[in-house]
PDB file of all heavy atoms in Angstrom:
ATOM      1  N   LYS A  18     120.974  87.818  99.883  1.00 83.00           N
ATOM      2  CA  LYS A  18     121.171  89.268  99.957  1.00 83.00           C
ATOM      3  C   LYS A  18     121.425  89.728 101.388  1.00 83.00           C
ATOM      4  O   LYS A  18     121.797  90.867 101.604  1.00 83.00           O
ATOM      5  CB  LYS A  18     119.940  89.992  99.400  1.00 83.00           C
ATOM      6  CG  LYS A  18     119.642  89.678  97.962  1.00 83.00           C
ATOM      7  CD  LYS A  18     120.642  90.318  97.051  1.00 83.00           C
ATOM      8  CE  LYS A  18     120.292  90.044  95.614  1.00 83.00           C
ATOM      9  NZ  LYS A  18     121.357  90.322  94.711  1.00 83.00           N
ATOM     10  N   TRP A  19     121.227  88.873 102.384  1.00 83.00           N
ATOM     11  CA  TRP A  19     121.379  89.309 103.779  1.00 83.00           C
ATOM     12  C   TRP A  19     122.800  89.769 104.062  1.00 83.00           C
ATOM     13  O   TRP A  19     123.017  90.736 104.779  1.00 83.00           O
ATOM     14  CB  TRP A  19     120.957  88.227 104.769  1.00 83.00           C
ATOM     15  CG  TRP A  19     121.957  87.109 104.921  1.00 83.00           C
ATOM     16  CD1 TRP A  19     121.996  85.935 104.250  1.00 83.00           C
ATOM     17  CD2 TRP A  19     123.097  87.103 105.796  1.00 83.00           C
ATOM     18  NE1 TRP A  19     123.080  85.196 104.651  1.00 83.00           N
ATOM     19  CE2 TRP A  19     123.778  85.877 105.608  1.00 83.00           C
ATOM     20  CE3 TRP A  19     123.607  88.005 106.725  1.00 83.00           C
ATOM     21  CZ2 TRP A  19     124.923  85.537 106.291  1.00 83.00           C
ATOM     22  CZ3 TRP A  19     124.763  87.653 107.415  1.00 83.00           C
ATOM     23  CH2 TRP A  19     125.404  86.435 107.191  1.00 83.00           C
ATOM     24  N   ARG A  20     123.781  89.072 103.488  1.00 82.00           N
ATOM     25  CA  ARG A  20     125.176  89.443 103.723  1.00 82.00           C
ATOM     26  C   ARG A  20     125.463  90.826 103.141  1.00 82.00           C
ATOM     27  O   ARG A  20     126.106  91.659 103.773  1.00 82.00           O
ATOM     28  CB  ARG A  20     126.134  88.422 103.138  1.00 82.00           C
ATOM     29  CG  ARG A  20     127.602  88.764 103.396  1.00 82.00           C
ATOM     30  CD  ARG A  20     128.547  87.755 102.767  1.00 82.00           C
ATOM     31  NE  ARG A  20     128.370  86.429 103.326  1.00 82.00           N
ATOM     32  CZ  ARG A  20     129.086  85.950 104.353  1.00 82.00           C
ATOM     33  NH1 ARG A  20     130.002  86.691 104.908  1.00 82.00           N
ATOM     34  NH2 ARG A  20     128.870  84.741 104.805  1.00 82.00           N
ATOM     35  N   GLU A  21     124.965  91.079 101.936  1.00 83.00           N
ATOM     36  CA  GLU A  21     125.165  92.398 101.312  1.00 83.00           C
ATOM     37  C   GLU A  21     124.515  93.495 102.154  1.00 83.00           C
ATOM     38  O   GLU A  21     125.102  94.561 102.348  1.00 83.00           O
ATOM     39  CB  GLU A  21     124.586  92.398  99.901  1.00 83.00           C
ATOM     40  CG  GLU A  21     125.347  91.503  98.940  1.00 83.00           C
ATOM     41  CD  GLU A  21     124.605  91.308  97.633  1.00 83.00           C
ATOM     42  OE1 GLU A  21     123.624  92.030  97.374  1.00 83.00           O
ATOM     43  OE2 GLU A  21     125.017  90.424  96.864  1.00 83.00           O
ATOM     44  N   ARG A  22     123.301  93.244 102.643  1.00 81.00           N
ATOM     45  CA  ARG A  22     122.621  94.243 103.480  1.00 81.00           C
ATOM     46  C   ARG A  22     123.375  94.463 104.782  1.00 81.00           C
ATOM     47  O   ARG A  22     123.532  95.598 105.229  1.00 81.00           O
ATOM     48  CB  ARG A  22     121.183  93.799 103.769  1.00 81.00           C
ATOM     49  CG  ARG A  22     120.259  93.945 102.572  1.00 81.00           C
ATOM     50  CD  ARG A  22     118.810  93.736 102.945  1.00 81.00           C
ATOM     51  NE  ARG A  22     118.541  92.427 103.508  1.00 81.00           N
ATOM     52  CZ  ARG A  22     118.114  91.376 102.813  1.00 81.00           C
ATOM     53  NH1 ARG A  22     117.891  91.477 101.528  1.00 81.00           N
ATOM     54  NH2 ARG A  22     117.882  90.227 103.411  1.00 81.00           N
ATOM     55  N   ALA A  23     123.863  93.394 105.389  1.00 83.00           N
ATOM     56  CA  ALA A  23     124.607  93.520 106.643  1.00 83.00           C
ATOM     57  C   ALA A  23     125.906  94.288 106.426  1.00 83.00           C
ATOM     58  O   ALA A  23     126.271  95.143 107.238  1.00 83.00           O
ATOM     59  CB  ALA A  23     124.888  92.130 107.228  1.00 83.00           C
ATOM     60  N   GLU A  24     126.605  94.002 105.339  1.00 85.00           N
ATOM     61  CA  GLU A  24     127.847  94.719 105.043  1.00 85.00           C
ATOM     62  C   GLU A  24     127.566  96.194 104.766  1.00 85.00           C
ATOM     63  O   GLU A  24     128.311  97.065 105.207  1.00 85.00           O
ATOM     64  CB  GLU A  24     128.553  94.073 103.851  1.00 85.00           C
ATOM     65  CG  GLU A  24     129.186  92.747 104.190  1.00 85.00           C
ATOM     66  CD  GLU A  24     129.772  92.030 102.983  1.00 85.00           C
ATOM     67  OE1 GLU A  24     129.651  92.538 101.845  1.00 85.00           O
ATOM     68  OE2 GLU A  24     130.333  90.943 103.177  1.00 85.00           O
ATOM     69  N   ARG A  25     126.474  96.472 104.049  1.00 81.00           N
ATOM     70  CA  ARG A  25     126.105  97.863 103.764  1.00 81.00           C
ATOM     71  C   ARG A  25     125.822  98.617 105.061  1.00 81.00           C
ATOM     72  O   ARG A  25     126.284  99.742 105.256  1.00 81.00           O
ATOM     73  CB  ARG A  25     124.874  97.891 102.859  1.00 81.00           C
ATOM     74  CG  ARG A  25     124.411  99.292 102.536  1.00 81.00           C
ATOM     75  CD  ARG A  25     123.228  99.259 101.569  1.00 81.00           C
ATOM     76  NE  ARG A  25     122.672 100.585 101.460  1.00 81.00           N
ATOM     77  CZ  ARG A  25     121.438 100.912 101.775  1.00 81.00           C
ATOM     78  NH1 ARG A  25     120.609 100.000 102.210  1.00 81.00           N
ATOM     79  NH2 ARG A  25     121.014 102.135 101.646  1.00 81.00           N
ATOM     80  N   LYS A  26     125.069  97.986 105.950  1.00 78.00           N
ATOM     81  CA  LYS A  26     124.771  98.631 107.233  1.00 78.00           C
ATOM     82  C   LYS A  26     126.043  98.873 108.039  1.00 78.00           C
ATOM     83  O   LYS A  26     126.203  99.925 108.649  1.00 78.00           O
ATOM     84  CB  LYS A  26     123.783  97.789 108.051  1.00 78.00           C
ATOM     85  CG  LYS A  26     122.369  97.914 107.584  1.00 78.00           C
ATOM     86  CD  LYS A  26     121.432  97.171 108.508  1.00 78.00           C
ATOM     87  CE  LYS A  26     119.999  97.383 108.084  1.00 78.00           C
ATOM     88  NZ  LYS A  26     119.053  96.784 108.986  1.00 78.00           N
ATOM     89  N   HIS A  27     126.936  97.903 108.042  1.00 83.00           N
ATOM     90  CA  HIS A  27     128.180  98.049 108.795  1.00 83.00           C
ATOM     91  C   HIS A  27     129.034  99.183 108.224  1.00 83.00           C
ATOM     92  O   HIS A  27     129.581  99.990 108.971  1.00 83.00           O
ATOM     93  CB  HIS A  27     128.958  96.740 108.795  1.00 83.00           C
ATOM     94  CG  HIS A  27     130.240  96.809 109.552  1.00 83.00           C
ATOM     95  ND1 HIS A  27     130.286  96.893 110.922  1.00 83.00           N
ATOM     96  CD2 HIS A  27     131.524  96.846 109.129  1.00 83.00           C
ATOM     97  CE1 HIS A  27     131.539  96.959 111.309  1.00 83.00           C
ATOM     98  NE2 HIS A  27     132.313  96.935 110.240  1.00 83.00           N
ATOM     99  N   GLN A  28     129.135  99.237 106.904  1.00 83.00           N
ATOM    100  CA  GLN A  28     129.941 100.268 106.255  1.00 83.00           C
ATOM    101  C   GLN A  28     129.345 101.661 106.458  1.00 83.00           C
ATOM    102  O   GLN A  28     130.064 102.651 106.471  1.00 83.00           O
ATOM    103  CB  GLN A  28     130.071  99.984 104.763  1.00 83.00           C
ATOM    104  CG  GLN A  28     130.917  98.768 104.454  1.00 83.00           C
ATOM    105  CD  GLN A  28     130.831  98.369 102.993  1.00 83.00           C
ATOM    106  OE1 GLN A  28     130.026  98.889 102.229  1.00 83.00           O
ATOM    107  NE2 GLN A  28     131.655  97.409 102.602  1.00 83.00           N
ATOM    108  N   ASN A  29     128.038 101.735 106.591  1.00 78.00           N
ATOM    109  CA  ASN A  29     127.355 103.018 106.678  1.00 78.00           C
ATOM    110  C   ASN A  29     126.801 103.294 108.071  1.00 78.00           C
ATOM    111  O   ASN A  29     125.845 104.054 108.225  1.00 78.00           O
ATOM    112  CB  ASN A  29     126.222 103.076 105.649  1.00 78.00           C
ATOM    113  CG  ASN A  29     126.741 103.013 104.242  1.00 78.00           C
ATOM    114  OD1 ASN A  29     127.594 103.787 103.864  1.00 78.00           O
ATOM    115  ND2 ASN A  29     126.240 102.072 103.473  1.00 78.00           N
TER     116      ASN A  29
END
Side-chain angles (χ1 to χ4, degrees):
K18 299 288 182 195
W19 76 267
R20 181 182 298 267
E21 292 169 12
R22 286 190 300 265
E24 287 174 357
R25 179 177 170 240
K26 282 185 176 184
H27 180 71
Q28 291 170 351
N29 296 307

